[in-house]
Amino acid sequence: MYYVYILQSSKRNNWLYKGSTSDLKRRLTEHNAGKNFSTAPYISLKLIYYEAYVLKTDAEAREKYLKTSMGMRVIKKQLANYLQVKSKIQ
């Protein structure tokens, strides 16, 4: 299985990181250990969304799409309730 995932920073709620991996638990641990240059300044990170794919190429294509402005709009719309609740809590 291959996964496309979205992480949210506890430091900046409006900051979301999109990535893909074949081992979701390991990858989240690496992000929170500061082993990823892009996410290190935003630790601690929480997994807020993921999708599973059989083919690596499908996961990579979805990740690439989510990193576009249209993909970001789609995912923010899909996660609107969560993001709204999260912003009210803090």
Side-chain angles (χ1 to χ4, degrees), residues 8-14 46 82-90:
Q8 183 178 41
S9 171
S10 63
K11 291 182 179 180
R12 289 180 53 196
N13 279 342
N14 63 342
K46 179 180 176 181
Y82 169 78
L83 295 172
Q84 193 172 42
V85 168
K86 183 72 173 169
S87 67
K88 286 181 182 178
I89 292 172
Q90 302 196 344

Side-chain angles (χ1 to χ4, degrees), residues 7-41:
L7 304 177
Q8 183 178 41
S9 171
S10 63
K11 291 182 179 180
R12 289 180 53 196
N13 279 342
N14 63 342
W15 183 86
L16 300 175
Y17 176 84
K18 287 79 59 192
S20 63
T21 185
S22 61
D23 187 340
L24 198 51
K25 285 183 180 183
R26 175 191 52 80
R27 194 67 181 123
L28 181 59
T29 301
E30 289 174 355
H31 280 294
N32 277 312
K35 293 183 178 181
N36 182 292
F37 179 78
S38 300
T39 59

Side-chain angles (χ1 to χ4, degrees), residues 58-69:
D58 290 338
E60 290 171 341
R62 179 67 169 166
E63 176 191 6
K64 187 175 180 179
Y65 170 72
L66 291 178
K67 289 182 175 183
T68 66
S69 59

